[in-house]
Amino acid sequence: MKKKIFLILISIILLTACQTQTSDKQSTVDKESAVSLVSKQDSNNPEFKYYHFNAEEAGYRSDRSNVLTPTFYIYAGPKTVDEANALVAEFEMSDVVEEWASNVYVIPPINGSTYSNDDMVAFIDLISQAPVANIKLIGIDEGATFVNNKLAPKYGYLIAGILTINGKVDEGVSLREQVPTYIVNSDEAVNLLYGQDDKKVSDTYQDQSNPLQKVVVSNLENELAKIFEDAWSKILSQNYRMHNDITEFYNANAKEITSGYGLEPVIDFEKLGIIYNQNEEVPLNGEGSYTWYEYVPKTIKDASKGTIPLIITLHGFANDPCLQGDTSGWVEVAAKEDIVIVSPEWQEKELNFAKVDGLGEEGVLELIDYLKETYPQIDTSRIYLTGLSAGGSKTALWAAKHSDVFAAGASVSAPGIDKEELTQLARDYNGNKIPYLYVVGDHDFFQMVPVDGSSPFGMPNVFFDDPNVSMFEFIQAYQRMNDLPVSSKPDLNLNPYFGVALSNQVEGILGDKEILSGSMVDVDNENQELIRLVTIKNLAHWNYRPEAAYIWNFFKQYERDSETGQLLFTQP
């Protein structure tokens, strides 16, 4: 019963991060249809009226995870619904809205004439109704001045991109946080507001430390379609925001947590040289209706047989499998290192995001066989398994159960859901040695670390004493399976997070965060690393993009003899 409650709670929490997708994956909408705004009224603030279009409700869906889906908030002064629709039509933004299944809001002043502080409050109230991800703010004329003077300075921390046209800015206004911005027909004061101290090259201010933070000053005339097309190409399509420092992005209240919404890139597969194959509700070996996503480097066509590694990445509980490709960093690693990445819908139908047939353990193994046949370039000695949260727990179990298939496993932010089965497996283990990496943030609300349950960052009265959370049993199981000394109980004097003695324990930097890592080694085999445990400071329960390259550097140490199953150590 405890485990069931645990899984239900995870489902409730994680599903808040995702908009509801249409159950008919093949449904389409006539491309001639346009954005059609309708009048809305805020139930909590009857004076706040606006115009809204929801592309999903109109039948569109994006082929990417919906944390990337842009939501457009347009401030353009007093407007009727017909005038608002005419304005959106003039932008010619329908193709973008439909492709990404976006929401569009056109928001006139509450008092019917000019924007005021009441409109600032209404904005943050509206934003706070869903997790912050990809907010795009458009201001025109007096709406641009309102954006420049009020919204950008106060709420820039959660805005992923701004388009401002014909606006002004009052003297003394400054930004607390920079925002990628496209500026049209404004004076130098507006340019300097958004460009701040960044280096200006031609028409662009660029933050030298952050390629996503740039400001384009445009000389386009007031042709809204051309302006939007250029702004979308250069600024608005490039990024989204995600907070994962002190809590998970889907739990971050935009009113209470006012920093740490870092800019994240929207990956362009074509530019990276990645083929994105979407296998949605298709049979596998002639049976079922399964979903998986393939990220295949274009270089595979010139690769020799048996030369390309394969990484299977398992999503978190009830997550859209697209999230692993879009937010984990694995696609960038695939492009750089020539790796095939596959994200399957592994959970059973009753639990998974799209309510499709779930592959499960045996299905994932069948999928690997299918992939090897489809891509003979895959190196069967270099197949690896990784996963987030519940997918990380399954990684710990399946990598051990199938040590003849996987050369190594890596769990990210994984609670110990499958530790009982893994512990039983380890007691009578007769498989091969299996290298294992465990990575977790010190702000994870499931409180996996410290392993004694003493984290001050857990979710009060929910997970603190839940026996499914503890992952110390993962460590013990992998110690047994790798013929290493087994820790009887945790001792935080040995390591402040995992409570075990580690070789090469070292503080370091991953991305822009501090980490503490350490290893357990095979002293009988030149101290080869078999287990690595890593804590990332100021990270909550989610993927952290730099982790992917870090995990790959761990995986590169290992291969699996396809005939004997023997673990082979290689030079990284």
Side-chain angles (χ1 to χ4, degrees), residues 189-460:
V190 175
N191 301 344
L192 293 176
L193 170 71
Y194 291 105
Q196 294 194 10
D197 297 325
D198 290 341
K199 184 177 180 180
K200 186 178 182 183
V201 178
S202 184
D203 65 346
T204 302
Y205 293 86
Q206 180 66 65
D207 183 338
Q208 299 301 298
S209 64
N210 184 356
L212 292 176
Q213 177 50 51
K214 63 182 179 180
V215 175
V216 173
V217 179
S218 172
N219 60 6
L220 288 173
E221 299 297 330
N222 288 343
E223 297 181 52
L224 296 189
K226 290 183 179 180
I227 288 172
F228 181 80
E229 180 181 23
D230 201 46
W232 176 255
S233 172
K234 294 177 179 177
I235 296 291
L236 301 180
S237 66
Q238 301 297 303
N239 63 71
Y240 62 101
R241 288 194 183 271
M242 184 172 282
H243 177 95
N244 279 310
D245 286 354
I246 61 175
T247 190
E248 292 61 38
F249 73 93
Y250 43 84
N251 287 330
N253 185 310
K255 296 180 183 179
E256 298 173 358
I257 299 177
T258 59
S259 63
Y261 296 82
L263 291 172
E264 297 286 336
V266 174
I267 300 303
D268 186 322
F269 300 134
E270 182 66 27
K271 287 182 180 179
L272 273 180
I274 291 292
I275 301 167
Y276 178 38
N277 292 327
Q278 304 165 67
N279 300 278
E280 297 179 327
E281 298 186 62
V282 297
L284 181 62
N285 296 331
E287 298 181 354
S289 179
Y290 302 105
T291 293
W292 69 90
Y293 299 93
E294 302 169 5
Y295 307 86
V296 182
K298 291 183 177 179
T299 54
I300 197 169
K301 68 180 185 301
D302 299 319
S304 300
K305 182 178 180 180
T307 60
I308 302 292
L310 168 65
I311 294 177
I312 303 294
T313 177
L314 305 177
H315 62 78
F317 190 96
N319 288 166
D320 183 346
C322 290
L323 279 169
Q324 287 299 95
D326 283 330
T327 72
S328 68
W330 275 118
V331 174
E332 297 95 306
V333 174
K336 182 179 179 181
E337 301 284 349
D338 287 335
I339 306 169
V340 173
I341 305 293
V342 176
S343 178
E345 179 49 82
W346 60 272
Q347 280 189 297
E348 55 264 44
K349 188 172 186 176
E350 293 73 23
L351 299 176
N352 70 46
F353 180 73
K355 305 307 177 191
V356 298
D357 291 345
L359 285 161
E361 179 179 350
E362 294 304 317
V364 168
L365 296 176
E366 289 184 21
L367 176 60
I368 291 172
D369 288 338
Y370 164 84
L371 293 167
K372 290 189 294 187
E373 292 180 7
T374 305
Y375 305 105
Q377 299 93 334
I378 287 175
D379 182 352
T380 57
S381 71
R382 292 190 293 164
I383 299 175
Y384 308 92
L385 184 64
T386 185
L388 168 70
S389 190
S393 180
K394 280 291 181 284
T395 291
L397 178 62
W398 293 352
K401 290 180 72 173
H402 305 287
S403 61
D404 58 330
V405 174
F406 300 109
S411 298
V412 176
S413 301
I417 302 170
D418 297 288
K419 65 188 178 185
E420 290 184 11
E421 185 174 352
L422 182 63
T423 297
Q424 184 60 43
L425 175 71
R427 287 197 183 106
D428 303 310
Y429 188 69
N430 59 2
N432 308 291
K433 290 185 177 181
I434 179 75
Y436 181 63
L437 171 64
Y438 184 91
V439 187
V440 66
D442 70 345
H443 280 68
D444 197 302
F445 68 179
F446 289 140
Q447 299 172 259
M448 285 82 77
V449 294
V451 291
D452 66 351
S454 62
S455 170
F457 305 114
M459 186 171 285

Side-chain angles (χ1 to χ4, degrees), residues 42 44-45 48 75 107 110 115-129 146 150-151 154-155 254-255:
D42 192 304
N44 296 317
N45 181 3
F48 181 36
Y75 287 82
I107 304 177
I110 288 176
Y115 293 108
S116 66
N117 287 339
D118 289 341
D119 296 284
M120 290 178 59
V121 174
F123 172 75
I124 193 64
D125 286 345
L126 187 59
I127 294 295
S128 299
Q129 294 177 15
F146 174 65
K150 300 295 184 180
L151 296 186
K154 188 171 181 63
Y155 301 120
K255 296 180 183 179

Side-chain angles (χ1 to χ4, degrees), residues 89-111:
E90 193 174 349
F91 271 119
E92 295 184 10
M93 60 194 305
S94 289
D95 284 351
V96 169
V97 171
E98 294 164 2
E99 177 185 354
W100 291 89
S102 297
N103 281 266
V104 180
Y105 295 84
V106 176
I107 304 177
I110 288 176
N111 63 23

